[in-house]
Amino acid sequence: MSTSYRKMLQIFRSDITRRHLCNHFFFYTSRAHPQPRPISAVQFALTEALEGVEERKQKREKNWERRVKNSSVNSDGGPYRNQDEMVEVSLNLNVDPRKPGQNLRGSVLLPHGTGKKSSGIFAVFTSDSRVVEHLRESSVGGNVEIGGEELVDRLVDGELSVASIERAVASQDMIGYLSKKAGRLLGPRGLMPNTKVGTLVSSPEKLDNLLKELDTSLPYRTDKDGLIKLGIGKASLGHYKLMNNLDALLRELYENKPELYGKRKKKGKKSGSGKGGKFILSAYLSATQGGSVKIDPRTVDPNSPKFLAASLR
């Protein structure tokens, strides 16, 4: 063995060179070898998202003051109306909506609401004239259209725009006429009253309580890939109220969890199907203009001791 080769071997075997190579391999990132994303508990992920919202809020205020000072924008003299970002949660469920019984759809009653002001119209369909008069006299708000067959005819004739309707509720006595006349208008937009979503009641007397809950109820539905993405509330609600809303959403999903579930992979293997498999494969939390934070699935599982409810006690 030559002397030069021995020196090279000694250098390679030295501790400094080994540490340098290990560090270089560990921090090597590319499209094919991305650096793994950090996983946070849901309460810390929410804290990180709210901190990002506050930083962007202060940055927008400073930019506005600078632009007003430089006279680059026309100001009405009032205070700056900053954006109140929505906090969203994305859940990858271990369900295949193409299979019967695995297409989750429903409505959850959030304890604190989303904080979002509804700009659309709530359409109420019922044939009971006494209930119609009672709802019109009660303080249900000015963005509510109440009626029976005449309201359906207005919708079909175009006097009431379908695009302006945000939610539609009905009693059981009107569902036949409504589906026959306006089913093709409301169905593709997801506005058709349904018992699963909670927008179809058995008797007209229950419509009064249903209208009061519409502001705090949040409909959900899985897409073709088994994903659910919902806004759980505005950032101005604060950490505690957002955690309560998320707690109500997760408990609702697990209560309606199908008995048999599981996604089928491309190679024909199932990813944890059955009762004992994972129901939530992955979860992310983000704000409107911020990046997403990956959540530890154990902290969004009500059956786990690390569930987020432990931080609310």
Side-chain angles (χ1 to χ4, degrees):
M1 185 180 296
S2 61
T3 307
S4 59
Y5 183 77
R6 289 178 180 176
K7 290 183 179 180
M8 290 178 59
L9 188 60
Q10 291 177 359
I11 295 173
F12 181 77
R13 289 177 177 177
S14 62
D15 294 337
I16 299 176
T17 306
R18 285 204 303 268
R19 285 199 301 267
H20 173 73
L21 292 175
C22 291
N23 292 336
H24 178 73
F25 177 77
F26 181 78
F27 290 106
Y28 175 74
T29 56
S30 66
R31 287 187 177 181
H33 306 86
Q35 191 171 357
R37 298 185 62 177
I39 301 178
S40 304
V42 62
Q43 56 267 29
F44 301 124
L46 181 57
T47 302
E48 183 178 347
L50 294 179
E51 289 176 354
V53 169
E54 188 64 26
E55 291 178 1
R56 290 188 294 272
K57 183 178 180 181
Q58 295 177 1
K59 186 176 180 180
R60 285 192 294 265
E61 289 180 354
K62 292 180 180 179
N63 291 339
W64 174 261
E65 293 175 357
R66 177 179 53 82
R67 295 175 65 186
V68 170
K69 186 177 181 180
N70 297 334
S71 300
S72 60
V73 294
N74 296 325
S75 176
D76 56 0
Y80 175 60
R81 295 177 290 274
N82 211 324
Q83 179 184 3
D84 191 5
E85 299 184 29
M86 176 70 72
V87 179
E88 299 177 346
V89 60
S90 300
L91 303 173
N92 182 15
L93 303 182
N94 189 15
V95 296
D96 190 353
R98 297 171 296 180
K99 297 180 181 179
Q102 295 195 28
N103 187 13
L104 292 183
R105 184 183 181 186
S107 179
V108 56
L109 191 64
L110 300 179
H112 304 287
T114 59
K116 181 181 179 181
K117 296 182 179 179
S118 60
S119 57
I121 296 176
F122 291 161
V124 182
F125 301 95
T126 179
S127 60
D128 195 333
S129 58
R130 294 176 299 175
V131 176
V132 172
E133 293 179 0
H134 171 70
L135 293 178
R136 287 175 178 174
E137 293 176 357
S138 62
S139 58
V140 293
N143 58 343
V144 179
E145 292 286 344
I146 308 170
E149 295 183 0
E150 71 280 358
L151 183 60
V152 180
D153 296 337
R154 286 177 54 198
L155 183 64
V156 174
D157 296 338
E159 298 180 9
L160 178 62
S161 176
V162 185
S164 62
I165 298 178
E166 184 175 349
R167 301 283 294 277
V169 298
S171 55
Q172 191 66 40
D173 54 351
M174 277 295 300
I175 193 62
Y177 187 83
L178 180 63
S179 59
K180 181 179 179 181
K181 292 288 185 178
R184 294 184 178 181
L185 295 175
L186 299 177
R189 296 177 179 267
L191 297 174
M192 195 66 187
N194 195 317
T195 53
K196 291 183 178 181
V197 187
T199 53
L200 180 62
V201 293
S202 57
S203 61
E205 290 76 11
K206 297 181 180 180
L207 289 173
D208 192 7
N209 294 331
L210 181 60
L211 282 176
K212 296 178 182 178
E213 296 177 354
L214 281 180
D215 291 334
T216 57
S217 64
L218 182 67
Y220 63 88
R221 186 174 186 177
T222 54
D223 61 5
K224 61 179 182 179
D225 298 321
L227 303 176
I228 289 181
K229 185 176 182 180
L230 292 174
I232 59 175
K234 295 285 188 177
S236 58
L237 292 178
H239 190 279
Y240 182 77
K241 292 183 178 180
L242 290 173
M243 288 287 288
N244 277 281
N245 287 346
L246 184 58
D247 177 55
L249 172 62
L250 294 173
R251 292 186 183 277
E252 173 72 18
L253 292 178
Y254 268 81
E255 287 180 1
N256 297 329
K257 179 177 64 173
E259 294 184 0
L260 297 177
Y261 53 88
K263 291 183 177 179
R264 184 172 294 276
K265 295 183 179 180
K266 295 183 179 180
K267 296 182 179 180
K269 297 181 180 180
K270 293 184 178 181
S271 58
S273 62
K275 295 184 178 180
K278 292 182 179 179
F279 181 59
I280 297 180
L281 299 178
S282 60
Y284 294 86
L285 193 140
S286 63
T288 302
Q289 295 186 353
S292 61
V293 183
K294 192 172 184 180
I295 302 174
D296 186 357
R298 295 173 297 179
T299 60
V300 291
D301 184 1
N303 300 324
S304 173
K306 296 186 178 181
F307 183 54
L308 58 90
S311 62
L312 301 176
R313 295 168 186 165

